[in-house]
Amino acid sequence: MSKFDLHVHSSYSLDGNVKPKDIIKYLKKKRFKGAAIVDHSTIKGATEAMKYAEDFLVIPGMEIKTDRGHILAIGIKEEVKSRVADELIDEIHEKGGIAILAHPFRFSKPKIKADAIEAINGRNFPLQNKRAIEYARMKRLPVTAGSDAHFLWELGVAYVDMNAESVEEAIEEILNGVEIDGNQSLFHPIKCKIFSFFSSAKRGFGRVE
């Protein structure tokens, strides 16, 4: 089994601070086999990361804010356009990917029937992740885990264990069920919020879509 961080943001996200090549370099040092780079509303970060992905699987994706919460489009071959949840999920499937409900219970209760649930998010508080795990079990849905990293030091704090040599294999593994693990401390999400606040202030509190 190998570690994969399935929720990573690069500098192509408005609130991201890490260049795609540095994401790969850092995670390879931590013995990760791959990562899903899911920048806000763009696939450009994943596309650039693939240029540096020797012995490392980059799973292309996007994080999209919809009318009913955030969705991770994992394994898509091109950018998705819809921002209406049901339509977006159909579009993700059409473009070869799967839809994962991102960080449920952080902002509100889940209102989307996705392919999988992000059960451990590195930026969530432990209770939020606990509720996500319970929700996934109740709905009998596959689970994923990811750091939701926007800064280098966040990378790899939450991850899945799976065997995958291609994007297609990664999708199959996720849908069949993977082991999840990650940070469950109170300190880490608090630190993330502090760093995010100052980063947001520096860019003039620009809204991230």
Side-chain angles (χ1 to χ4, degrees):
M1 290 290 185
S2 301
K3 294 180 182 179
F4 289 76
D5 187 337
L6 294 184
H7 190 159
V8 175
H9 294 278
S10 78
S11 52
Y12 280 88
S13 286
L14 178 63
D15 55 352
N17 289 268
V18 190
K19 293 179 180 179
K21 65 178 180 180
D22 293 332
I23 289 172
I24 294 173
K25 183 179 179 180
Y26 184 88
L27 285 175
K28 286 180 74 171
K29 283 184 177 179
K30 297 187 74 172
R31 299 184 181 278
F32 275 68
K33 178 69 175 179
I37 298 182
V38 288
D39 287 308
H40 295 288
S41 304
T42 182
I43 201 173
K44 291 178 181 178
T47 301
E48 181 176 333
M50 289 177 180
K51 300 174 184 177
Y52 309 97
E54 185 178 353
D55 298 323
F56 189 91
L57 179 61
V58 173
I59 303 170
M62 295 167 60
E63 180 172 0
I64 304 103
K65 182 179 179 181
T66 77
D67 58 327
R68 286 186 281 150
H70 288 223
I71 292 177
L72 303 180
I74 298 289
I76 52 175
K77 297 178 174 63
E78 57 184 287
E79 292 191 351
V80 291
K81 305 298 182 183
S82 179
R83 296 299 181 264
V84 177
D86 292 336
E87 294 176 4
L88 173 64
I89 291 172
D90 288 340
E91 187 180 355
I92 291 170
H93 292 161
E94 290 169 3
K95 293 181 177 178
I98 57 173
I100 299 171
L101 181 58
H103 43 65
F105 300 103
R106 183 187 294 177
F107 303 115
S108 61
K109 293 181 180 179
K111 302 174 183 177
I112 303 169
K113 187 176 180 180
D115 299 307
I117 302 292
E118 185 178 53
I120 298 180
N121 178 290
R123 288 189 158 205
N124 273 0
F125 288 101
L127 180 58
Q128 293 169 325
N129 285 333
K130 181 175 182 291
R131 293 178 70 187
I133 292 169
E134 291 172 348
Y135 179 79
R137 287 174 180 166
M138 181 181 70
K139 295 295 184 179
R140 297 183 179 181
L141 287 169
V143 294
T144 67
S147 64
D148 200 355
H150 292 69
F151 301 94
L152 193 67
W153 50 267
E154 293 183 79
L155 287 165
V157 300
Y159 56 88
V160 307
D161 285 309
M162 63 182 184
N163 290 317
E165 299 293 335
S166 68
V167 173
E168 291 75 20
E169 288 181 2
I171 289 175
E172 184 178 0
E173 287 269 320
I174 292 167
L175 294 178
N176 288 334
V178 294
E179 295 294 322
I180 59 174
D181 201 351
N183 175 73
Q184 293 290 292
S185 74
L186 286 172
F187 174 73
H188 182 79
I190 291 172
K191 181 181 178 182
C192 291
K193 287 183 182 295
I194 292 170
F195 271 71
S196 292
F197 174 81
F198 285 106
S199 176
S200 179
K202 187 176 180 180
R203 66 173 187 270
F205 295 100
R207 186 174 180 178
V208 178
E209 294 293 342

